[in-house]
Amino acid sequence: LPEQHLAVKIVDTAFWITVLNAALITFDAFIFQPGANDWRATAPRLLIDIVRLMLVAAGGAFVVSSVWQVNLGSLLAALGVGSLVIGLALQETLGNVFSGIAMISARQFAVGDWIRIGDIEGQVRSITWRSVSVTTLTGDVVVIPNIQFGRDRVRLLGADQGWVRITADFKFAYDHPPQRVLDMLNETAATTADVLPQPPPAARLISFEDGGVLYR
C-alpha cells in the first residue's frame, strides 16, 4: 500500500503510540522510580505528571505532523479561539494547576509536613494537580484547592524545631479548685504518648464563662 493510504497511517499511528508508551514506562523506571535516600523518593506527584504530559504532548505532535501530515502551525491558529473559550470555562481548574506548579517550584512544604491554612490544620497527605489533601488531628481528610494557597496565609508548623504545639480547650465546673484542675491537666498531658518533656506542656486558666471555667 502507498504511504498515504489510510490503513498505513493507522498502523503507523498504532506503532508510534506503542513506542511512546514504552518510552514513558522506561523513563518512569529509570528517572522516577524511588531509590534509597535520593531525590526520587520525595519527587512530588505533580512534577511527575507534568513531565509525562510534556512527553505525551511532544509524541502526539510528532505523530500528527509526520504521519498525518498536519500543519501544526495552522492547527494551533485554528484552535486559538476554541482554546480561549476552554480557558475561560476552566479558569478555576487552570488556576489550581498553576498554583500547584508554583508550590512545587517554591518547595514551601512537602508530604508529611504539618500546615495550617485558614481554620484547617493537619499533616500534608498528598499534592496533586488541583489540590492538597490534609489529614487533621481528628483523622478527617480535607481536600484544599491549590488556588487557596495563593490567597490565604499558610503556616508551616514545626518547620525549624521539629515539633508542633497543639492547644485544646476544656471547661470545668466552678466547684472544682482551679489549681487542682491545672495540675490534673499538666499531669495528663505529660503522660500522653508523643508529648515532649521539653518544652513541657502548660495548662492555663483562660476565662470565667457561663456554665464553667475555660482552661487551655
Side-chain angles (χ1 to χ4, degrees):
L1 297 175
E3 184 179 355
Q4 299 302 321
H5 194 279
L6 178 61
V8 176
K9 291 184 178 181
I10 293 176
V11 172
D12 282 344
T13 302
F15 169 76
W16 285 113
I17 290 176
T18 305
V19 171
L20 179 60
N21 184 56
L24 289 175
I25 294 175
T26 304
F27 184 83
D28 185 53
F30 281 94
I31 302 300
F32 287 119
Q33 190 67 29
N37 299 325
D38 62 8
W39 66 272
R40 293 175 295 181
T42 58
R45 185 70 186 179
L46 179 59
L47 176 61
I48 300 175
D49 291 338
I50 290 175
V51 173
R52 286 175 177 167
L53 179 62
M54 294 175 62
L55 292 176
V56 171
F62 171 78
V63 172
V64 171
S65 176
S66 62
V67 177
W68 296 93
Q69 304 298 320
V70 176
N71 189 334
L72 295 181
S74 301
L75 180 61
L76 292 177
L79 293 177
V81 177
S83 300
L84 178 61
V85 175
I86 295 175
L88 292 175
L90 301 178
Q91 183 176 3
E92 186 170 351
T93 301
L94 293 176
N96 289 327
V97 171
F98 286 108
S99 296
I101 294 174
M103 285 193 302
I104 296 300
S105 301
R107 303 187 67 87
Q108 296 171 330
F109 56 86
V111 174
D113 291 340
W114 284 83
I115 64 171
R116 179 184 298 157
I117 176 171
D119 58 349
I120 301 173
E121 177 181 325
Q123 189 176 29
V124 178
R125 181 177 180 178
S126 64
I127 302 175
T128 64
W129 278 98
R130 59 174 301 274
S131 62
V132 173
S133 298
V134 175
T135 303
T136 65
L137 291 173
T138 59
D140 300 326
V141 177
V142 181
V143 179
I144 308 172
N146 288 338
I147 198 170
Q148 185 174 343
F149 288 89
R151 298 172 178 172
D152 297 341
R153 179 180 299 175
V154 181
R155 179 176 296 180
L156 186 57
L157 306 177
D160 296 330
Q161 66 269 19
W163 54 266
V164 60
R165 185 182 299 278
I166 298 174
T167 61
D169 292 344
F170 303 91
K171 184 178 289 187
F172 289 84
Y174 280 98
D175 53 355
H176 295 295
Q179 189 58 50
R180 183 179 179 184
V181 173
L182 292 174
D183 293 340
M184 182 271 296
L185 290 175
N186 283 323
E187 180 180 354
T188 302
T191 56
T192 300
D194 296 330
V195 174
L196 300 176
Q198 293 295 332
R204 293 181 176 85
L205 191 154
I206 301 301
S207 62
F208 296 92
E209 300 182 353
D210 296 336
V213 182
L214 181 65
Y215 297 86
R216 178 168 299 157

